[in-house]
Amino acid sequence: MTEQDESKRHEILAPVWTEEQLKRRRQRNLAIAWTLGALMVLFFVVTIVKLGGNVANRTF
Amino acid sequence: MSNRAISKEEFDARAMSDGGMGSARDFFELLKPRVMSLVIFTALVGLAVAPGGIHPVIAFTALLCIAVGAGASGALNMWYDADIDAKMARTADRPIPRGRVTPGEAAAFGSILSVFSVMTMGVLVNWVAASLLAFTIFFYLVVYTMWLKRRTPQNIVIGGAAGAFPPMIGWAAVTGSVSIEPIVLFLIIFMWTPPHFWALALYRRGDYEKVGVPMLPVVAGEAETRRQILIYSLLLVPLTLLPAALGFAGWLYAVATAVLGAGFLWFAIGVWRSRAGAAQDMAAKRLFAYSILYLFLVFSLLLAEKMLGVAPMGPLSLS
């Protein structure tokens, strides 16, 4: 494959996102990030609630 | 592989079909937020009237899982029904028919949320509630959407069970089991669903006819639908008095529900006595609107008694 062919192949495969698509992708990524952050907090809080006062009563 | 470079227009068209165009709001719409709100409310009542206590954080987690599970089944329903949604006025503006979200994206979104909501419920709340949630999602997607909806006029009678499970899941989140009380709450919503949806189908029958969904007015006719609405309403109203008869609701609930039930029968009789045309559509719209208020108030009464501490099973206990 010549160098010219290679560059043409990239021209076909490279994603050409429109401004609108980029904006929406950013929005979706932010929504996913906030959701994951909220889940992290939820799992942490529920763990503390379930452990309750027993958190310090571990046997070593 | 073709070496032809593609134009920007062609690429945009491919991007539309390949996905990547939906906004966060479009994905939120896939969760059917309005349906979800009634599901959350009835689940909250099931959770509140259950005996024993539940930590507020665990209660919140259970409600979140139920909400996300209900939303996930809504997204999967929109994925499966995209073809008929596009042809009905009521649903043509949904994200998939509008081309903002592809069917593949909706299916992936719904599947991931389904698994995640059930697993989270199991790990953080309990596995009885998680199993009920999983069964509800399965029932709504497979039994109602895929199997019954396009095959039989009994679709919403049997499929209505999916919408009736949330208070039972709420109850199971607290107690870790299912007893007669949540089954009564289940039966109330189960019996409420047919008159509610058949009232809608009466004045939207053209839509259902166009897409070949065998709703009762399309298959059995309007007169039979009006008769069935009355029969189910007559069964529903005494059923709503069962919580008082079984001792998990008090006098406030019994008296107020009897009055609300009389109102329901009034509107159902109005539909039954009407004849095809504008009068029937008006009567059906009235019953449909009242039915939403009715279910909301019946469940609100159970919650109110618990909050006020006048319920026979004692005040709400968040431990």
Short mmCIF file of all heavy atoms in Angstrom, two decimals, chain B residues 37-50 163-171 181-193 236 239-241 243 248-249 252-254 256-258 260-261 290-307 311:
data_model
loop_
_atom_site.label_atom_id
_atom_site.label_comp_id
_atom_site.label_asym_id
_atom_site.label_seq_id
_atom_site.Cartn_x
_atom_site.Cartn_y
_atom_site.Cartn_z
N SER B 37 -42.72 8.27 37.70
CA SER B 37 -43.11 9.00 38.91
C SER B 37 -44.21 8.26 39.67
O SER B 37 -44.19 8.19 40.90
CB SER B 37 -43.54 10.43 38.57
OG SER B 37 -44.60 10.40 37.66
N LEU B 38 -45.18 7.67 38.94
CA LEU B 38 -46.25 6.91 39.62
C LEU B 38 -45.68 5.62 40.22
O LEU B 38 -46.09 5.20 41.31
CB LEU B 38 -47.38 6.60 38.63
CG LEU B 38 -48.73 6.23 39.24
CD1 LEU B 38 -49.25 7.35 40.14
CD2 LEU B 38 -49.76 5.91 38.16
N VAL B 39 -44.73 5.01 39.52
CA VAL B 39 -44.08 3.80 40.01
C VAL B 39 -43.34 4.10 41.32
O VAL B 39 -43.46 3.36 42.31
CB VAL B 39 -43.09 3.24 38.96
CG1 VAL B 39 -42.15 2.22 39.56
CG2 VAL B 39 -43.84 2.64 37.79
N ILE B 40 -42.60 5.21 41.34
CA ILE B 40 -41.84 5.58 42.54
C ILE B 40 -42.81 5.81 43.70
O ILE B 40 -42.58 5.37 44.83
CB ILE B 40 -40.99 6.84 42.30
CG1 ILE B 40 -39.91 6.57 41.26
CG2 ILE B 40 -40.34 7.33 43.60
CD1 ILE B 40 -39.15 7.80 40.83
N PHE B 41 -43.91 6.50 43.40
CA PHE B 41 -44.85 6.84 44.46
C PHE B 41 -45.49 5.58 45.06
O PHE B 41 -45.55 5.42 46.29
CB PHE B 41 -45.93 7.79 43.93
CG PHE B 41 -46.94 8.14 44.96
CD1 PHE B 41 -46.59 8.91 46.06
CD2 PHE B 41 -48.25 7.70 44.86
CE1 PHE B 41 -47.52 9.22 47.03
CE2 PHE B 41 -49.18 8.01 45.83
CZ PHE B 41 -48.81 8.77 46.92
N THR B 42 -45.96 4.66 44.20
CA THR B 42 -46.61 3.46 44.74
C THR B 42 -45.59 2.57 45.48
O THR B 42 -45.92 1.94 46.48
CB THR B 42 -47.32 2.65 43.63
OG1 THR B 42 -46.38 2.36 42.59
CG2 THR B 42 -48.50 3.39 43.06
N ALA B 43 -44.35 2.57 44.98
CA ALA B 43 -43.30 1.81 45.68
C ALA B 43 -43.02 2.43 47.05
O ALA B 43 -42.84 1.72 48.04
CB ALA B 43 -42.02 1.80 44.84
N LEU B 44 -43.02 3.75 47.10
CA LEU B 44 -42.79 4.46 48.37
C LEU B 44 -43.87 4.08 49.39
O LEU B 44 -43.58 3.84 50.57
CB LEU B 44 -42.79 5.98 48.14
CG LEU B 44 -42.85 6.86 49.38
CD1 LEU B 44 -41.54 6.79 50.15
CD2 LEU B 44 -43.15 8.32 49.02
N VAL B 45 -45.12 4.00 48.90
CA VAL B 45 -46.21 3.64 49.82
C VAL B 45 -46.03 2.21 50.33
O VAL B 45 -46.17 1.95 51.53
CB VAL B 45 -47.59 3.82 49.12
CG1 VAL B 45 -48.71 3.31 50.01
CG2 VAL B 45 -47.81 5.29 48.77
N GLY B 46 -45.67 1.28 49.43
CA GLY B 46 -45.42 -0.10 49.85
C GLY B 46 -44.33 -0.16 50.90
O GLY B 46 -44.43 -0.89 51.89
N LEU B 47 -43.32 0.64 50.68
CA LEU B 47 -42.18 0.69 51.60
C LEU B 47 -42.58 1.30 52.95
O LEU B 47 -42.17 0.84 54.01
CB LEU B 47 -41.09 1.52 50.92
CG LEU B 47 -39.68 1.51 51.46
CD1 LEU B 47 -38.70 1.51 50.30
CD2 LEU B 47 -39.44 2.73 52.30
N ALA B 48 -43.42 2.33 52.88
CA ALA B 48 -43.80 3.04 54.12
C ALA B 48 -44.76 2.23 54.98
O ALA B 48 -44.67 2.28 56.21
CB ALA B 48 -44.42 4.39 53.76
N VAL B 49 -45.70 1.50 54.34
CA VAL B 49 -46.70 0.79 55.15
C VAL B 49 -46.20 -0.55 55.67
O VAL B 49 -46.84 -1.16 56.52
CB VAL B 49 -48.04 0.59 54.38
CG1 VAL B 49 -48.67 1.92 54.00
CG2 VAL B 49 -47.86 -0.31 53.18
N ALA B 50 -45.06 -1.00 55.16
CA ALA B 50 -44.52 -2.29 55.62
C ALA B 50 -44.13 -2.21 57.10
O ALA B 50 -43.64 -1.17 57.55
CB ALA B 50 -43.30 -2.67 54.79
N GLY B 163 -47.04 -3.16 36.16
CA GLY B 163 -47.18 -1.86 36.83
C GLY B 163 -47.66 -2.00 38.27
O GLY B 163 -47.63 -1.02 39.03
N ALA B 164 -48.12 -3.22 38.62
CA ALA B 164 -48.69 -3.43 39.96
C ALA B 164 -47.63 -3.92 40.96
O ALA B 164 -47.89 -3.95 42.17
CB ALA B 164 -49.84 -4.43 39.88
N PHE B 165 -46.47 -4.33 40.45
CA PHE B 165 -45.44 -4.88 41.34
C PHE B 165 -44.72 -3.87 42.25
O PHE B 165 -44.30 -4.25 43.36
CB PHE B 165 -44.39 -5.66 40.53
CG PHE B 165 -44.78 -7.08 40.24
CD1 PHE B 165 -45.02 -7.51 38.95
CD2 PHE B 165 -44.90 -8.00 41.28
CE1 PHE B 165 -45.39 -8.82 38.69
CE2 PHE B 165 -45.27 -9.31 41.03
CZ PHE B 165 -45.51 -9.72 39.72
N PRO B 166 -44.54 -2.59 41.84
CA PRO B 166 -43.70 -1.69 42.66
C PRO B 166 -44.03 -1.62 44.16
O PRO B 166 -43.09 -1.69 44.97
CB PRO B 166 -43.87 -0.34 41.97
CG PRO B 166 -44.06 -0.70 40.54
CD PRO B 166 -44.89 -1.94 40.56
N PRO B 167 -45.33 -1.54 44.59
CA PRO B 167 -45.53 -1.51 46.05
C PRO B 167 -45.07 -2.80 46.73
O PRO B 167 -44.60 -2.78 47.88
CB PRO B 167 -47.04 -1.32 46.21
CG PRO B 167 -47.64 -1.46 44.88
CD PRO B 167 -46.58 -1.34 43.85
N MET B 168 -45.18 -3.91 45.98
CA MET B 168 -44.73 -5.20 46.54
C MET B 168 -43.20 -5.20 46.69
O MET B 168 -42.67 -5.72 47.68
CB MET B 168 -45.17 -6.32 45.60
CG MET B 168 -45.09 -7.70 46.20
SD MET B 168 -45.49 -8.97 45.01
CE MET B 168 -47.26 -9.00 45.09
N ILE B 169 -42.52 -4.59 45.71
CA ILE B 169 -41.05 -4.51 45.80
C ILE B 169 -40.65 -3.61 46.97
O ILE B 169 -39.73 -3.93 47.73
CB ILE B 169 -40.44 -3.98 44.48
CG1 ILE B 169 -40.90 -4.82 43.28
CG2 ILE B 169 -38.92 -3.98 44.55
CD1 ILE B 169 -40.49 -4.26 41.92
N GLY B 170 -41.39 -2.49 47.13
CA GLY B 170 -41.12 -1.58 48.25
C GLY B 170 -41.30 -2.30 49.58
O GLY B 170 -40.47 -2.17 50.50
N TRP B 171 -42.37 -3.07 49.69
CA TRP B 171 -42.64 -3.85 50.91
C TRP B 171 -41.50 -4.84 51.16
O TRP B 171 -40.97 -4.96 52.28
CB TRP B 171 -43.98 -4.58 50.75
CG TRP B 171 -44.39 -5.42 51.92
CD1 TRP B 171 -43.87 -6.61 52.30
CD2 TRP B 171 -45.42 -5.10 52.87
NE1 TRP B 171 -44.51 -7.08 53.41
CE2 TRP B 171 -45.47 -6.18 53.79
CE3 TRP B 171 -46.30 -4.04 53.03
CZ2 TRP B 171 -46.36 -6.21 54.84
CZ3 TRP B 171 -47.20 -4.08 54.09
CH2 TRP B 171 -47.22 -5.14 54.99
N GLU B 181 -50.61 -8.37 52.61
CA GLU B 181 -50.79 -6.92 52.46
C GLU B 181 -50.25 -6.40 51.12
O GLU B 181 -50.98 -5.72 50.39
CB GLU B 181 -50.15 -6.17 53.63
CG GLU B 181 -50.78 -6.46 54.98
CD GLU B 181 -50.07 -7.60 55.72
OE1 GLU B 181 -49.40 -8.41 55.05
OE2 GLU B 181 -50.20 -7.69 56.95
N PRO B 182 -48.99 -6.70 50.77
CA PRO B 182 -48.52 -6.21 49.46
C PRO B 182 -49.26 -6.85 48.29
O PRO B 182 -49.36 -6.24 47.22
CB PRO B 182 -47.03 -6.58 49.44
CG PRO B 182 -46.88 -7.64 50.46
CD PRO B 182 -47.90 -7.35 51.51
N ILE B 183 -49.79 -8.06 48.50
CA ILE B 183 -50.56 -8.70 47.42
C ILE B 183 -51.85 -7.90 47.19
O ILE B 183 -52.30 -7.72 46.06
CB ILE B 183 -50.85 -10.18 47.76
CG1 ILE B 183 -49.53 -10.97 47.72
CG2 ILE B 183 -51.84 -10.78 46.77
CD1 ILE B 183 -49.62 -12.40 48.19
N VAL B 184 -52.45 -7.38 48.28
CA VAL B 184 -53.66 -6.54 48.14
C VAL B 184 -53.32 -5.26 47.39
O VAL B 184 -54.06 -4.83 46.49
CB VAL B 184 -54.27 -6.24 49.53
CG1 VAL B 184 -55.34 -5.16 49.44
CG2 VAL B 184 -54.86 -7.50 50.13
N LEU B 185 -52.18 -4.63 47.73
CA LEU B 185 -51.76 -3.41 47.02
C LEU B 185 -51.55 -3.72 45.53
O LEU B 185 -51.90 -2.94 44.65
CB LEU B 185 -50.49 -2.83 47.63
CG LEU B 185 -50.58 -2.39 49.10
CD1 LEU B 185 -49.25 -1.82 49.57
CD2 LEU B 185 -51.69 -1.36 49.30
N PHE B 186 -50.95 -4.89 45.27
CA PHE B 186 -50.75 -5.35 43.89
C PHE B 186 -52.10 -5.46 43.17
O PHE B 186 -52.28 -4.96 42.06
CB PHE B 186 -50.03 -6.71 43.92
CG PHE B 186 -49.96 -7.42 42.60
CD1 PHE B 186 -48.88 -7.24 41.75
CD2 PHE B 186 -50.99 -8.27 42.20
CE1 PHE B 186 -48.82 -7.89 40.53
CE2 PHE B 186 -50.94 -8.92 40.98
CZ PHE B 186 -49.86 -8.73 40.14
N LEU B 187 -53.06 -6.11 43.85
CA LEU B 187 -54.37 -6.34 43.22
C LEU B 187 -55.11 -5.03 42.92
O LEU B 187 -55.82 -4.93 41.91
CB LEU B 187 -55.23 -7.23 44.12
CG LEU B 187 -54.84 -8.72 44.13
CD1 LEU B 187 -55.68 -9.48 45.15
CD2 LEU B 187 -55.01 -9.33 42.74
N ILE B 188 -54.92 -4.03 43.80
CA ILE B 188 -55.59 -2.74 43.56
C ILE B 188 -55.10 -2.14 42.23
O ILE B 188 -55.92 -1.74 41.38
CB ILE B 188 -55.33 -1.76 44.73
CG1 ILE B 188 -56.09 -2.23 45.97
CG2 ILE B 188 -55.75 -0.33 44.36
CD1 ILE B 188 -55.78 -1.44 47.24
N ILE B 189 -53.79 -2.11 42.04
CA ILE B 189 -53.26 -1.52 40.78
C ILE B 189 -53.60 -2.42 39.60
O ILE B 189 -53.94 -1.95 38.51
CB ILE B 189 -51.73 -1.30 40.86
CG1 ILE B 189 -51.39 -0.43 42.07
CG2 ILE B 189 -51.21 -0.64 39.59
CD1 ILE B 189 -49.91 -0.15 42.26
N PHE B 190 -53.55 -3.73 39.83
CA PHE B 190 -53.85 -4.69 38.77
C PHE B 190 -55.28 -4.49 38.25
O PHE B 190 -55.53 -4.50 37.03
CB PHE B 190 -53.68 -6.11 39.32
CG PHE B 190 -53.87 -7.19 38.30
CD1 PHE B 190 -52.90 -7.46 37.36
CD2 PHE B 190 -55.03 -7.96 38.29
CE1 PHE B 190 -53.08 -8.46 36.41
CE2 PHE B 190 -55.22 -8.96 37.35
CZ PHE B 190 -54.25 -9.21 36.41
N MET B 191 -56.23 -4.29 39.16
CA MET B 191 -57.63 -4.15 38.79
C MET B 191 -57.93 -2.74 38.26
O MET B 191 -58.88 -2.53 37.53
CB MET B 191 -58.50 -4.47 40.02
CG MET B 191 -59.83 -5.11 39.69
SD MET B 191 -59.65 -6.56 38.66
CE MET B 191 -59.50 -7.83 39.88
N TRP B 192 -57.09 -1.76 38.66
CA TRP B 192 -57.26 -0.39 38.22
C TRP B 192 -56.80 -0.20 36.77
O TRP B 192 -57.33 0.64 36.03
CB TRP B 192 -56.43 0.53 39.15
CG TRP B 192 -56.19 1.92 38.68
CD1 TRP B 192 -56.98 3.00 38.91
CD2 TRP B 192 -55.05 2.41 37.94
NE1 TRP B 192 -56.42 4.12 38.35
CE2 TRP B 192 -55.24 3.78 37.74
CE3 TRP B 192 -53.91 1.81 37.41
CZ2 TRP B 192 -54.32 4.59 37.06
CZ3 TRP B 192 -53.00 2.59 36.71
CH2 TRP B 192 -53.21 3.96 36.55
N THR B 193 -55.82 -1.01 36.35
CA THR B 193 -55.20 -0.81 35.03
C THR B 193 -56.18 -0.94 33.85
O THR B 193 -56.18 -0.08 32.96
CB THR B 193 -54.01 -1.78 34.86
OG1 THR B 193 -53.14 -1.63 35.99
CG2 THR B 193 -53.21 -1.48 33.61
N LEU B 236 -62.96 -3.24 41.21
CA LEU B 236 -61.88 -2.45 41.80
C LEU B 236 -62.29 -1.79 43.12
O LEU B 236 -61.55 -1.84 44.11
CB LEU B 236 -61.43 -1.38 40.79
CG LEU B 236 -60.55 -0.25 41.34
CD1 LEU B 236 -59.16 -0.79 41.72
CD2 LEU B 236 -60.39 0.87 40.29
N LEU B 239 -62.31 -3.78 46.26
CA LEU B 239 -60.94 -4.24 46.50
C LEU B 239 -60.13 -3.18 47.25
O LEU B 239 -59.29 -3.50 48.09
CB LEU B 239 -60.28 -4.55 45.15
CG LEU B 239 -59.11 -5.52 45.14
CD1 LEU B 239 -59.50 -6.86 45.74
CD2 LEU B 239 -58.62 -5.71 43.72
N THR B 240 -60.39 -1.89 46.94
CA THR B 240 -59.63 -0.82 47.60
C THR B 240 -59.99 -0.72 49.09
O THR B 240 -59.27 -0.06 49.84
CB THR B 240 -59.88 0.55 46.93
OG1 THR B 240 -61.27 0.82 46.95
CG2 THR B 240 -59.36 0.60 45.52
N LEU B 241 -61.11 -1.36 49.49
CA LEU B 241 -61.48 -1.32 50.92
C LEU B 241 -60.81 -2.45 51.71
O LEU B 241 -60.84 -2.46 52.94
CB LEU B 241 -63.00 -1.41 51.07
CG LEU B 241 -63.77 -0.26 50.41
CD1 LEU B 241 -65.27 -0.51 50.47
CD2 LEU B 241 -63.44 1.07 51.08
N PRO B 243 -57.61 -3.14 52.36
CA PRO B 243 -56.59 -2.78 53.37
C PRO B 243 -57.21 -2.46 54.73
O PRO B 243 -56.64 -2.83 55.77
CB PRO B 243 -55.92 -1.55 52.76
CG PRO B 243 -56.05 -1.75 51.29
CD PRO B 243 -57.41 -2.39 51.11
N PHE B 248 -54.69 -3.26 57.89
CA PHE B 248 -53.46 -2.45 57.75
C PHE B 248 -53.75 -1.04 57.24
O PHE B 248 -52.85 -0.31 56.86
CB PHE B 248 -52.39 -3.17 56.93
CG PHE B 248 -52.67 -3.41 55.47
CD1 PHE B 248 -52.15 -2.56 54.50
CD2 PHE B 248 -53.42 -4.49 55.06
CE1 PHE B 248 -52.38 -2.79 53.15
CE2 PHE B 248 -53.66 -4.72 53.72
CZ PHE B 248 -53.14 -3.88 52.76
N ALA B 249 -55.03 -0.66 57.25
CA ALA B 249 -55.41 0.74 57.01
C ALA B 249 -56.53 1.07 57.99
O ALA B 249 -57.24 0.17 58.46
CB ALA B 249 -55.87 0.95 55.58
N LEU B 252 -59.90 6.49 58.47
CA LEU B 252 -59.69 7.61 57.55
C LEU B 252 -59.59 7.09 56.11
O LEU B 252 -60.26 7.57 55.20
CB LEU B 252 -58.41 8.37 57.93
CG LEU B 252 -57.95 9.45 56.95
CD1 LEU B 252 -58.94 10.61 56.93
CD2 LEU B 252 -56.55 9.96 57.31
N TYR B 253 -58.78 6.05 55.96
CA TYR B 253 -58.60 5.44 54.65
C TYR B 253 -59.92 4.85 54.15
O TYR B 253 -60.32 5.08 52.99
CB TYR B 253 -57.52 4.35 54.72
CG TYR B 253 -57.41 3.53 53.45
CD1 TYR B 253 -56.57 3.93 52.42
CD2 TYR B 253 -58.17 2.36 53.26
CE1 TYR B 253 -56.48 3.19 51.24
CE2 TYR B 253 -58.09 1.62 52.09
CZ TYR B 253 -57.25 2.04 51.08
OH TYR B 253 -57.18 1.30 49.92
N ALA B 254 -60.60 4.11 55.02
CA ALA B 254 -61.83 3.41 54.61
C ALA B 254 -62.89 4.39 54.11
O ALA B 254 -63.47 4.20 53.04
CB ALA B 254 -62.36 2.58 55.78
N ALA B 256 -62.56 7.70 53.22
CA ALA B 256 -62.14 8.50 52.06
C ALA B 256 -62.10 7.65 50.79
O ALA B 256 -62.51 8.11 49.71
CB ALA B 256 -60.78 9.12 52.33
N THR B 257 -61.64 6.40 50.91
CA THR B 257 -61.56 5.53 49.73
C THR B 257 -62.95 5.16 49.21
O THR B 257 -63.17 5.05 48.00
CB THR B 257 -60.76 4.25 50.06
OG1 THR B 257 -59.47 4.66 50.51
CG2 THR B 257 -60.59 3.37 48.85
N ALA B 258 -63.90 4.99 50.15
CA ALA B 258 -65.27 4.69 49.73
C ALA B 258 -65.83 5.86 48.91
O ALA B 258 -66.49 5.65 47.88
CB ALA B 258 -66.14 4.42 50.96
N LEU B 260 -64.04 8.16 47.26
CA LEU B 260 -63.31 8.21 45.99
C LEU B 260 -63.79 7.10 45.04
O LEU B 260 -63.91 7.32 43.82
CB LEU B 260 -61.80 8.02 46.24
CG LEU B 260 -61.08 9.19 46.91
CD1 LEU B 260 -59.68 8.77 47.35
CD2 LEU B 260 -60.98 10.37 45.96
N GLY B 261 -64.09 5.95 45.60
CA GLY B 261 -64.58 4.82 44.80
C GLY B 261 -65.93 5.13 44.18
O GLY B 261 -66.20 4.77 43.03
N TYR B 290 -59.62 11.07 35.90
CA TYR B 290 -59.97 10.79 37.29
C TYR B 290 -59.24 9.54 37.81
O TYR B 290 -58.85 9.49 38.98
CB TYR B 290 -61.49 10.60 37.42
CG TYR B 290 -61.92 10.36 38.86
CD1 TYR B 290 -62.01 11.42 39.76
CD2 TYR B 290 -62.20 9.08 39.32
CE1 TYR B 290 -62.37 11.20 41.08
CE2 TYR B 290 -62.57 8.85 40.63
CZ TYR B 290 -62.65 9.92 41.51
OH TYR B 290 -63.01 9.71 42.82
N SER B 291 -59.04 8.56 36.92
CA SER B 291 -58.41 7.31 37.37
C SER B 291 -56.98 7.56 37.89
O SER B 291 -56.55 6.92 38.85
CB SER B 291 -58.40 6.26 36.25
OG SER B 291 -57.57 6.67 35.19
N ILE B 292 -56.28 8.49 37.25
CA ILE B 292 -54.90 8.80 37.71
C ILE B 292 -54.97 9.44 39.10
O ILE B 292 -54.25 9.05 40.02
CB ILE B 292 -54.20 9.73 36.71
CG1 ILE B 292 -54.04 9.03 35.36
CG2 ILE B 292 -52.83 10.16 37.24
CD1 ILE B 292 -53.56 9.92 34.24
N LEU B 293 -55.86 10.42 39.23
CA LEU B 293 -56.03 11.10 40.52
C LEU B 293 -56.46 10.10 41.60
O LEU B 293 -55.97 10.12 42.73
CB LEU B 293 -57.08 12.22 40.37
CG LEU B 293 -57.38 13.03 41.61
CD1 LEU B 293 -56.21 13.93 41.95
CD2 LEU B 293 -58.65 13.88 41.42
N TYR B 294 -57.38 9.20 41.22
CA TYR B 294 -57.93 8.21 42.14
C TYR B 294 -56.83 7.32 42.73
O TYR B 294 -56.71 7.19 43.96
CB TYR B 294 -58.96 7.36 41.38
CG TYR B 294 -59.52 6.19 42.13
CD1 TYR B 294 -60.50 6.35 43.10
CD2 TYR B 294 -59.09 4.90 41.85
CE1 TYR B 294 -61.03 5.27 43.78
CE2 TYR B 294 -59.61 3.80 42.52
CZ TYR B 294 -60.58 4.00 43.48
OH TYR B 294 -61.10 2.92 44.15
N LEU B 295 -56.00 6.74 41.84
CA LEU B 295 -54.94 5.85 42.33
C LEU B 295 -53.96 6.61 43.22
O LEU B 295 -53.53 6.12 44.27
CB LEU B 295 -54.19 5.21 41.15
CG LEU B 295 -53.24 4.09 41.56
CD1 LEU B 295 -54.00 2.87 42.03
CD2 LEU B 295 -52.31 3.71 40.42
N PHE B 296 -53.65 7.83 42.78
CA PHE B 296 -52.73 8.66 43.56
C PHE B 296 -53.31 8.92 44.96
O PHE B 296 -52.60 8.79 45.97
CB PHE B 296 -52.48 9.98 42.82
CG PHE B 296 -51.66 10.97 43.59
CD1 PHE B 296 -50.30 10.75 43.77
CD2 PHE B 296 -52.24 12.09 44.15
CE1 PHE B 296 -49.54 11.66 44.50
CE2 PHE B 296 -51.50 12.99 44.89
CZ PHE B 296 -50.15 12.77 45.07
N LEU B 297 -54.60 9.26 45.03
CA LEU B 297 -55.21 9.58 46.34
C LEU B 297 -55.35 8.34 47.22
O LEU B 297 -55.13 8.42 48.43
CB LEU B 297 -56.56 10.26 46.13
CG LEU B 297 -56.50 11.69 45.57
CD1 LEU B 297 -57.90 12.25 45.33
CD2 LEU B 297 -55.72 12.61 46.52
N VAL B 298 -55.73 7.21 46.63
CA VAL B 298 -55.87 5.98 47.43
C VAL B 298 -54.54 5.63 48.10
O VAL B 298 -54.48 5.36 49.31
CB VAL B 298 -56.38 4.80 46.55
CG1 VAL B 298 -56.23 3.47 47.27
CG2 VAL B 298 -57.84 5.02 46.15
N PHE B 299 -53.47 5.68 47.33
CA PHE B 299 -52.16 5.37 47.91
C PHE B 299 -51.68 6.48 48.85
O PHE B 299 -51.01 6.21 49.84
CB PHE B 299 -51.14 5.06 46.79
CG PHE B 299 -51.19 3.63 46.35
CD1 PHE B 299 -52.20 3.18 45.51
CD2 PHE B 299 -50.26 2.71 46.80
CE1 PHE B 299 -52.27 1.85 45.13
CE2 PHE B 299 -50.32 1.37 46.43
CZ PHE B 299 -51.32 0.94 45.59
N SER B 300 -52.05 7.74 48.53
CA SER B 300 -51.69 8.86 49.42
C SER B 300 -52.32 8.67 50.79
O SER B 300 -51.72 9.01 51.82
CB SER B 300 -52.17 10.18 48.85
OG SER B 300 -51.51 10.47 47.67
N LEU B 301 -53.56 8.14 50.80
CA LEU B 301 -54.26 7.94 52.08
C LEU B 301 -53.52 6.94 52.96
O LEU B 301 -53.40 7.13 54.18
CB LEU B 301 -55.69 7.48 51.83
CG LEU B 301 -56.64 8.60 51.40
CD1 LEU B 301 -57.89 8.02 50.74
CD2 LEU B 301 -57.04 9.46 52.61
N LEU B 302 -53.04 5.86 52.34
CA LEU B 302 -52.27 4.87 53.10
C LEU B 302 -51.02 5.52 53.69
O LEU B 302 -50.69 5.31 54.86
CB LEU B 302 -51.85 3.72 52.19
CG LEU B 302 -52.93 2.71 51.80
CD1 LEU B 302 -52.41 1.79 50.69
CD2 LEU B 302 -53.34 1.88 53.00
N LEU B 303 -50.37 6.34 52.86
CA LEU B 303 -49.15 7.01 53.30
C LEU B 303 -49.47 8.03 54.40
O LEU B 303 -48.75 8.10 55.42
CB LEU B 303 -48.50 7.72 52.10
CG LEU B 303 -47.12 8.31 52.30
CD1 LEU B 303 -46.12 7.23 52.66
CD2 LEU B 303 -46.65 9.03 51.03
N ALA B 304 -50.56 8.78 54.21
CA ALA B 304 -50.93 9.82 55.18
C ALA B 304 -51.22 9.21 56.55
O ALA B 304 -50.78 9.73 57.58
CB ALA B 304 -52.14 10.59 54.67
N GLU B 305 -51.97 8.09 56.55
CA GLU B 305 -52.27 7.43 57.83
C GLU B 305 -50.99 7.02 58.56
O GLU B 305 -50.87 7.15 59.77
CB GLU B 305 -53.15 6.21 57.60
CG GLU B 305 -54.62 6.54 57.41
CD GLU B 305 -55.50 5.31 57.56
OE1 GLU B 305 -54.97 4.18 57.43
OE2 GLU B 305 -56.70 5.47 57.81
N LYS B 306 -50.04 6.52 57.76
CA LYS B 306 -48.78 6.08 58.34
C LYS B 306 -47.99 7.26 58.91
O LYS B 306 -47.43 7.20 60.01
CB LYS B 306 -47.97 5.36 57.26
CG LYS B 306 -46.88 4.49 57.79
CD LYS B 306 -47.40 3.19 58.34
CE LYS B 306 -46.27 2.34 58.87
NZ LYS B 306 -46.72 1.07 59.41
N MET B 307 -47.95 8.36 58.11
CA MET B 307 -47.20 9.55 58.54
C MET B 307 -47.83 10.17 59.78
O MET B 307 -47.14 10.67 60.67
CB MET B 307 -47.16 10.59 57.42
CG MET B 307 -46.58 10.14 56.12
SD MET B 307 -44.83 9.83 56.18
CE MET B 307 -44.21 11.45 55.92
N ALA B 311 -52.37 4.85 61.42
CA ALA B 311 -52.53 3.54 60.78
C ALA B 311 -52.52 2.46 61.85
O ALA B 311 -51.80 2.58 62.85
CB ALA B 311 -51.40 3.30 59.78
#
